[in-house]
Amino acid sequence: MASRKVVDTGVRDLISSLPDEVLGNILSLVPTKLAASTSVLSKRWKHSLSLVNILDFDDSMLLYPNKVSDLPRSCFFDFVDNTLALLVNSQVKKFTLKCRYNLDTSRVDRWIRTVLERGFLELHLTSHEDHCIDSEFFTSNTLVNLTLSHGFYLEEGGCLPNGSVFFPALKTLTLIATGYGADYMFDSLISGCPVLEELFIRYGDGPHGIDWIMVVSGQSIKRLTISSGFSTKEREFDRTSVLFEIPSLLFLDYSGYVLEHYTVDFSSLLEARLDLRLWESPTEFNFDYENDVDVDDFGDATKLVVGLSNVKTLHLSSHSLEVLHSCCSSIPLFSNLTDLSFESDEQRGWQVLPLLLKNSLNLETLVIKGLVHKVTDKCGDACACILQKKEEEECCLWGCQVKVLQITGYGGSCKELKQIQHFLEKLKRLEIVKVGVQEDNNNHGEYLRVTNDLMKLPRVSSKCQIQFYVSHL
């Protein structure tokens, strides 16, 4: 009888042969439900869940809203309970919870308490339904990263007295459309994190989206992001001022509607991103510095902009250009500014740009995201849209120290070509011009036409070189 021949298919189970530490890191990258399901693969994988260092629970992984399911709602809560019980002695450091359906309040409280008591390093909580966190046990000596999102909010009247330290090791705090019960709760939470370095606040949408008290104070904060949803609910907001006392801040990303008053301490700030918007549409107004524009009609961002005047890098949205023009009584000197970028919009003009460039004495890099903008009576001599009456020697571009000019979203229109020509003829110190050609113009013939037109333009700087790349703007 002939022996049976074993065929080697060449397929090897390389993953199963990995060390436990490596396998645990891989399984930690997927939702915990998927990681748990690998236990049925083989004996090697039977205890695979015990290897993970991250727990990521999402009730949509068990409860399918678009499908008929016989699974009871409690199955998700049972799964979390069993997993935490199984991993009581594990090295798990991160816990993420996303709930979209009815919450079992007592169990959620128990999970949060368990995570804090076991010394986890990260806790991230998101819920589509309200869940009040009992502030009495909301403390940890090990937590370094905390997220409260949407339905999770702090209990009003909870035990958060001023001066208490709740998270002595916390470095990063993210608050997304969450609530604080009362104004003092937010301030107490921030002050209870004495080594906090990075703070992210999203407001203006969600069930508690307008609860932010417009005050941020902290000696240790180095990075601050405040993001507005620009919701219509903000129009009902009775806040008229913002207070920032953050002397160690290095990076600011701030968006919101312009308010009446700003008090700021940004003495260490190096980089800022600003997206300020007017409460009302400016289409019926023709803003002009030479006319008497009452900034109080639209808000006053003067002190906020003055607070940014020491930055080295500044990014402005098209809305911010509009606010700087219409809501600032003056534009400060930006003596340290070396990198400036701004966005253009066909509904908004460049009125503030000439003054901004003149007051940026050491500007070296200028990035413009799109050249198409609204043409106004006083678009300024930084723009080629309107024939200027001033003599060329008075053009704001003549004195610019800009060496690098980058244009993104270039479409190759006559107006855009004219604008780049204006820059090339006026910026005397230009060394590199980077032009991002729109992806739509990336066919060979159109690309050659666009690039050839630009290469033919005269340049006042003999050192100026033009480079091209594909822009996805």
Side-chain angles (χ1 to χ4, degrees), residues 12 25 34 55 99 238 263 307 350 374 400 434 454 465:
R12 299 174 59 193
N25 288 335
L34 295 180
L55 294 179
C99 293
D238 61 356
T263 302
W350 285 5
K374 182 180 180 180
C400 278
K434 302 177 182 179
L454 289 171
Q465 301 293 321

Side-chain angles (χ1 to χ4, degrees), residues 42 71 81-82 119-120 144 173 246 398 411 416 460:
S42 66
L71 292 174
D81 279 340
N82 294 335
F120 281 40
V144 297
L173 176 61
I246 323 172
W398 282 118
E416 291 171 291
V460 68

Side-chain angles (χ1 to χ4, degrees), residues 110-129:
R110 186 167 67 246
W111 300 339
I112 296 174
R113 188 189 298 268
T114 297
V115 167
L116 298 176
E117 290 176 349
R118 290 186 185 179
F120 281 40
L121 300 180
E122 296 189 36
L123 173 61
H124 306 280
L125 303 172
T126 301
S127 173
H128 285 195
E129 296 188 2

Side-chain angles (χ1 to χ4, degrees), residues 231-244:
S231 167
T232 55
K233 291 182 180 179
E234 291 188 61
R235 296 183 179 276
E236 304 170 4
F237 214 14
D238 61 356
R239 312 292 183 187
T240 59
S241 63
V242 172
L243 170 64
F244 292 124

